[in-house]
Amino acid sequence: MTDPLATYRSMRDFARTPEPAGDVATEEGAPRFVVQRHRASHLHYDLRFEIDGVLVSWAVPKGPTLDPGTRRLAVHVEDHPVDYLHFEGTIPGGEYGGGDVIVWDTGTFEPVRTDDPAAAVAAGELHVEVHGRKLRGRLVLVRRESKDLSKGPGKDEWMLLHKRDEHAVDGWDPEDHPRSVLSGRTNDDVLAGVPPTPAASVPDEAIDALGELPGSGGTWEVHGRRLKVTNLDKVLFPGRPGEEAITKRELLAYAAQVAPVALPYLEGRAVNLHRYPEGADRPGFWHKQRPDHAPEWVDCWENPDADEGETTAYVVADEPATLVWMANFGALEWHPWTSRTEAMHEPTYALVDLDPGERTSWEELLVLARLHRTALDHLGVTALPKVTGRRGIQVWVPVVPGYSFSDTRAWVERLSRTVGKVVPELVSWKWEVKARGGLARLDYTQNAVNKTLVGPWSPRPAPGAPVSVPIRWEELDDPDLRPDRWTIRTALERIAEHGDPFRALLGAAQELPEIS
């Protein structure tokens, strides 16, 4: 049997390009489509339909449109793997198609006038009803007469048009809608290495679709992936006094909506999952090994240092849908490693963990946080705090490559011991909790490989589903601030109003100054 992806693979060096090699996929559910805005030697849009386990593809120089009065040239190119549905990034110069790519639109489609879209393509005329974020309604692709069709894809030209239907818009120009529907980025952003932004919200239709699934679950299309979600009406978080309990359905909706915001602190890192499959009011457990039943698109990192009996393969959340999968897997907390997988022994953050004792009041913890703010400001160090969603406060300090965990641990210890000398009555340096006399601990020991703190925007396993939320330094003086102030019901509103303060840490890696 001929491999439909043989041409695609022969044109690429996967040791250099980040594009997926992929395999012919097993189809399930409604077929999907994607449009990628691709700046290679020339700007064009790539229109791809999922047919028979691959993406049948056309390059559209001026892009698809909702304008029924416009005809677009579309050049039939090689089939791509289904994994290309989510490809967004930069193809290196010198490689085939070198340039930056965004997922301009994606969704599902229905073939029209045929039950065999592959046969329709072979016959030279494909009619589809598309259900995308930008493209809606009837698209038609018709092959133009060619002198030599034997040359195959890449040589035959087609015409693309939008029928005059309820979704048609005269004068509609794709260039007026330049952002990715997955990451909220433009092509310039991708080229510059800008991380995904909160602009990439989940469409209301996807949240509505989740709400319409039965309590037993079903297949949910979100962030371009199909997930099998289960036990949607199961209570995972008890309610706070006067509030309703929170179900798995609500957790999945939050995970989907917050994923583009949380992803920059997870991508490229091993993630330790804190699972509570029976709910936050029952005992949880750590799950680090990527399960064999995880979908193929859930990325994996194999730990080269794993000894016998230790975790060998970790989940890596490199796309928004993975956070939804983790939540469906019962992970109520997401703990990313401080280091990235390509340099597991080099932390990218130095972490300060302000861990209150039994006797530590909230006001006393704020005193400790403000003293760290003053010390860091005096040192000229860029850092920001976040409330943990439970009782504590953490401070994240981005650092340049090259530091070891011993380096960051020693630096944070010097910083915190300097602060602790100012208020010795509030701090204990004892290791055992019982020996601390109820005092706070300024914990520098979390600066170690495979020791993690809860990730920004992660839920916590407590009544009301509190969230670990990044804050600005001046918010330490807000009288309404509490470590568990925000929940999965209010965190998204905060993001909409104030954005993500930790964005300021991305790209702010710095050398750590000496502390005398």
Side-chain angles (χ1 to χ4, degrees), residues 177-439:
H177 310 271
R179 292 192 175 272
S180 163
V181 297
L182 287 190
S183 69
R185 297 180 293 182
T186 63
N187 282 77
D188 284 338
D189 291 336
V190 168
L191 185 62
V194 174
T197 72
S201 59
V202 176
D204 293 340
E205 294 89 338
I207 301 301
D208 291 343
L210 176 64
E212 292 168 1
L213 289 175
S216 59
T219 300
W220 186 31
E221 176 88 22
V222 64
H223 290 301
R225 295 291 192 186
R226 292 194 191 96
L227 292 96
K228 293 181 179 179
V229 294
T230 58
N231 300 320
L232 295 177
D233 291 337
K234 186 171 189 174
V235 171
L236 290 184
F237 302 88
R240 290 176 171 176
E243 297 180 357
E244 293 184 2
I246 293 172
T247 65
K248 188 176 184 181
R249 193 188 306 264
E250 194 168 353
L251 172 65
L252 295 183
Y254 171 77
Q257 292 169 294
V258 82
V261 188
L263 195 64
Y265 315 107
L266 295 167
E267 61 86 22
R269 303 172 188 272
V271 180
N272 297 338
L273 305 179
H274 209 181
R275 292 185 61 208
Y276 291 77
E278 299 305 317
D281 56 349
R282 302 288 295 276
F285 56 92
W286 288 101
H287 189 125
K288 299 181 181 181
Q289 184 78 26
R290 180 188 184 276
D292 292 338
H293 60 72
E296 291 183 1
W297 49 264
V298 172
D299 283 346
C300 174
W301 172 67
E302 295 183 357
N303 181 5
D305 290 354
D307 293 326
E308 185 176 353
E310 294 184 337
T311 303
T312 57
Y314 290 79
V315 169
V316 178
D318 275 343
E319 61 175 274
T322 302
L323 272 72
V324 186
W325 173 83
M326 294 191 306
N328 185 63
F329 190 45
L332 304 193
E333 290 186 319
W334 317 321
H335 286 243
W337 282 29
T338 316
S339 56
R340 298 181 64 84
T341 56
E342 66 266 23
M344 63 179 291
H345 294 292
E346 294 184 14
T348 60
Y349 293 96
L351 303 177
V352 181
D353 186 14
L354 308 183
D355 185 12
E358 295 176 1
R359 290 170 42 198
T360 307
S361 69
W362 174 238
E363 283 303 322
E364 288 172 338
L365 193 70
L366 287 175
V367 168
L368 293 170
R370 291 172 185 138
L371 286 171
H372 277 84
R373 173 180 63 186
T374 299
L376 290 164
D377 183 62
H378 175 73
L379 292 168
V381 170
T382 297
L384 282 171
K386 71 179 178 72
V387 292
T388 63
R390 300 298 289 267
R391 295 189 63 216
I393 295 174
Q394 299 163 358
V395 180
W396 287 38
V397 182
V399 299
V400 296
Y403 286 106
S404 68
F405 281 101
S406 295
D407 294 332
T408 55
R409 185 166 58 252
W411 189 86
V412 172
E413 181 180 6
R414 288 194 294 273
L415 173 73
S416 292
R417 286 191 181 274
T418 301
V419 168
K421 290 177 182 178
V422 180
V423 282
E425 71 278 8
L426 300 183
V427 178
S428 171
W429 299 103
K430 301 292 185 181
W431 175 260
E432 293 185 1
V433 175
K434 292 181 180 179
R436 296 177 197 165
L439 299 179

Side-chain angles (χ1 to χ4, degrees), residues 26 39 42 50 55 62 94 100 107 124 133 193 240 243 270 274 286 295 314 321-322 357 360 445 489 495 507:
T26 301
R39 293 194 306 187
H42 297 88
E50 184 181 15
L55 296 179
K62 294 187 177 180
D100 42 85
R133 299 276 295 277
R240 290 176 171 176
E243 297 180 357
H274 209 181
W286 288 101
Y314 290 79
T322 302
T360 307
T445 64
R489 289 173 173 160
I495 292 171

